[in-house]
């Protein structure tokens, strides 16, 4: 089946409340949607959010690289040659991981439609249901405690607390959240590169001594400071997860070889899509290291792709796929079914997306 066309659209979705991390604050998701058209009306959907502070991507860059360097190489090709096409996407340009992810996801979706099979089954089919955490944005301690209690009432058993904005305040934030939610809720922290290595060790040790019982700490130090990440990993008991330090399979190999972290956070927008994400997970599995699958601030299109990936593989044991729950509207019909923390995968071909409202062609 030939690829007939690749079209791009703008999708704008407001958030329920501003999303705040150590790196940024945003109040809406403004994403690029890719639709690849096959024959007989079959479509493949993909999506990329512009996350300049993490991936360096902005919408005009995502759209420009797809229009000039990726789409011309795919149109007229046969979707049955999936790996060849994924390789073309991966080699089309240096960097540009979000643009590549949007196209990679749309290719996988179209391929799965071609064979009339749900994507998670195509990828291995380990399960059809996963449990996500919910993110609590970094704010004043009492506001974070309130947000955490609200999430627990909605059924979330794991919370991801954003920190990394001032050492004393971070300790206060985590203490407030732990006191508010009690001992039975798992708390993972994400410092988004907001600490220095020694500061991180001091702070995490203090939290350990206070019995705050952290499941893991994500990206305590700047992305490029792999030695610092290793120093933190070696000097605390709490598990340390690499996020912004990990983009490619080669990054994963180096982090694992250095023993710089205990866990990896795969995001399709960093890896450039499912093809590379699979390689990262397999590499980690071979080293005995588990992965989480996370997302940027995305709509249900690419989060559905991440959920299919996560549901397919047993080595992906943690899920941070709450982005659709942070949106004030859901323009995507079909895809994952979200019931609080429970995400169910549809028994429909590909991603299972039926339609997307409010798209503007670009
Ligand atoms: Mg993170």
């Amino acid at each position: 089946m030939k690829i007939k066309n690749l079209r791009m659209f703008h999708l704008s979705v407001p958030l329920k409340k501003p999303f705040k991390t150590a790196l940024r604050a945003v109040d809406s998701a403004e994403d690029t949607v890719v639709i690849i058209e096959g024959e007989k009306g079959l479509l493949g959907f993909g999506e990329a959010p512009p996350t300049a502070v993490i991936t360096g991507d902005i919408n005009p860059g995502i759209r420009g690289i797809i229009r000039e360097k990726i789409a011309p190489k795919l149109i007229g090709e046969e979707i049955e040659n999936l790996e060849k096409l994924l390789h073309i996407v991966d080699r089309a340009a240096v960097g540009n991981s979000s643009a590549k992810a949007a196209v990679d996801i749309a290719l996988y979706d179209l391929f799965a439609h071609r064979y009339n099979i749900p994507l998670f089954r195509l990828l291995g089919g380990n399960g059809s249901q996963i449990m996500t955490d919910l993110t609590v944005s970094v704010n004043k301690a009492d506001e974070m405690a309130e947000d955490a209690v609200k999430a627990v009432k909605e059924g979330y058993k794991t919370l991801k607390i954003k920190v990394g904005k001032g050492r004393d305040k971070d300790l206060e934030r985590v203490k407030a959240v732990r006191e508010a939610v009690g001992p039975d809720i798992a708390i993972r922290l994400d410092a988004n590169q907001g600490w220095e290595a020694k500061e991180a060790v001091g702070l995490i040790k203090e939290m350990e001594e206070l019995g705050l019982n952290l499941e893991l700490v994500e990206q305590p130090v700047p992305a490029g400071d792999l030695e610092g990440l290793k120093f933190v990993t070696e000097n605390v008991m709490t598990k340390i997860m690499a996020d912004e330090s990990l983009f490619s399979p080669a990054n994963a190999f180096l982090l694992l070889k250095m023993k710089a972290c205990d866990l990896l956070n795969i995001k399709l927008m960093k890896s450039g899509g499912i093809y590379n994400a699979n390689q990262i997970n397999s590499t980690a599995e071979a080293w005995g290291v588990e992965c989480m699958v996370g997302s940027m601030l995305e709509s249900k299109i690419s989060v559905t792709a991440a959920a299919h990936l996560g549901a397919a593989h047993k080595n992906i044991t943690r899920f941070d796929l709450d982005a659709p729950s942070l949106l004030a509207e859901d323009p995507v019909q079909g895809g994952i079914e979200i019931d609080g923390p429970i995400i169910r995968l549809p028994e429909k071909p590909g991603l299972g997306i039926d339609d997307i409202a409010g798209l503007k062609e670009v």
Side-chain angles (χ1 to χ4, degrees), residues 54 160 162 189-192 218-219 241-244 265 267 270 292 295 320:
I54 296 174
K160 173 155 149 175
K162 291 286 191 184
L189 301 190
D190 189 355
N192 285 108
E218 218 179 292
Q219 198 66 44
M241 173 179 274
D243 181 7
E244 289 97 321
N265 185 353
K267 290 177 182 161
K270 296 183 299 161
M292 176 160 90
S295 73
D320 176 28

Side-chain angles (χ1 to χ4, degrees), residues 47-330:
E47 178 198 7
T51 316
V53 289
I54 296 174
T55 64
D57 295 316
I58 57 172
N59 272 323
I62 291 170
R63 293 162 192 180
I65 208 81
I66 293 175
R67 188 168 286 120
E68 288 185 23
K69 298 292 177 190
I70 299 178
K73 296 186 177 119
L74 297 178
I75 293 166
E77 290 285 338
E78 303 281 347
I79 191 66
E80 288 82 352
N81 301 328
L82 180 65
E83 193 180 279
K84 176 186 160 189
L85 305 182
L86 296 168
H87 195 72
I88 288 172
V89 174
D90 197 42
R91 296 298 160 98
V94 171
N96 286 281
S97 57
S98 305
K100 290 173 182 176
V103 178
D104 166 293
I105 292 165
L107 287 170
Y108 270 98
D109 188 26
L110 185 62
F111 184 78
H113 272 96
R114 160 70 180 78
Y115 294 102
N116 202 29
I117 182 173
L119 183 56
F120 75 96
R121 298 219 177 277
L122 185 81
L123 295 173
N126 189 53
S128 62
Q129 182 173 308
I130 58 178
M131 293 276 274
T132 181
D133 61 16
L134 191 75
T135 301
V136 175
S137 278
V138 58
N139 279 305
K140 285 189 178 151
D142 52 350
E143 187 178 350
M144 292 177 75
E146 264 174 46
D147 288 346
V149 168
K150 190 162 166 269
V152 169
K153 281 186 185 152
E154 288 166 12
Y156 291 91
K157 304 274 184 247
T158 304
L159 301 178
K160 173 155 149 175
I161 309 299
K162 291 286 191 184
V163 289
K165 282 192 126 178
R167 188 194 153 111
D168 293 343
K169 283 183 185 162
D170 280 339
L171 189 59
E172 199 187 316
R173 288 174 176 122
V174 181
K175 271 162 77 175
V177 171
R178 176 53 85 198
E179 272 168 31
V181 300
D184 298 333
I185 299 297
I187 292 179
R188 48 183 71 148
L189 301 190
D190 189 355
N192 285 108
Q193 316 175 54
W195 299 328
E196 286 168 358
K198 285 189 175 177
E199 182 183 40
V201 169
L203 196 47
I204 296 167
K205 276 190 167 168
E206 210 169 335
M207 292 182 191
E208 287 171 349
E209 279 157 21
L210 287 167
L212 296 176
N213 193 20
L214 306 177
E215 182 204 7
L216 60 91
V217 176
E218 218 179 292
Q219 198 66 44
V221 298
D225 187 10
L226 302 191
E227 293 291 345
L229 190 65
K230 182 179 166 71
F231 178 80
V232 178
T233 301
E234 282 177 343
N235 285 285
V236 299
M237 293 305 292
T238 305
K239 285 187 188 302
I240 302 298
M241 173 179 274
D243 181 7
E244 289 97 321
S245 294
L246 168 68
F247 274 57
S248 66
N251 293 159
F253 191 86
L254 180 60
L255 286 163
L256 294 161
K257 189 169 171 238
M258 285 176 69
K259 294 189 193 283
C261 56
D262 302 297
L263 298 160
L264 299 180
N265 185 353
I266 299 173
K267 290 177 182 161
L268 297 178
M269 297 304 139
K270 296 183 299 161
S271 68
I274 296 168
Y275 180 55
N276 284 341
N278 267 327
Q279 291 182 51
I280 293 171
N281 179 53
S282 297
T283 306
E285 191 172 1
W287 283 84
V289 167
E290 294 177 358
C291 295
M292 176 160 90
V293 71
S295 73
M296 305 295 183
L297 206 46
E298 302 164 31
S299 87
K300 220 168 65 184
I301 306 164
S302 45
V303 173
T304 292
H308 277 271
L309 171 77
H313 299 300
K314 69 172 172 19
N315 193 58
I316 299 177
T317 52
R318 294 170 173 84
F319 304 92
D320 176 28
L321 296 177
D322 60 344
S325 302
L326 307 177
L327 305 177
E329 298 162 12
D330 181 7

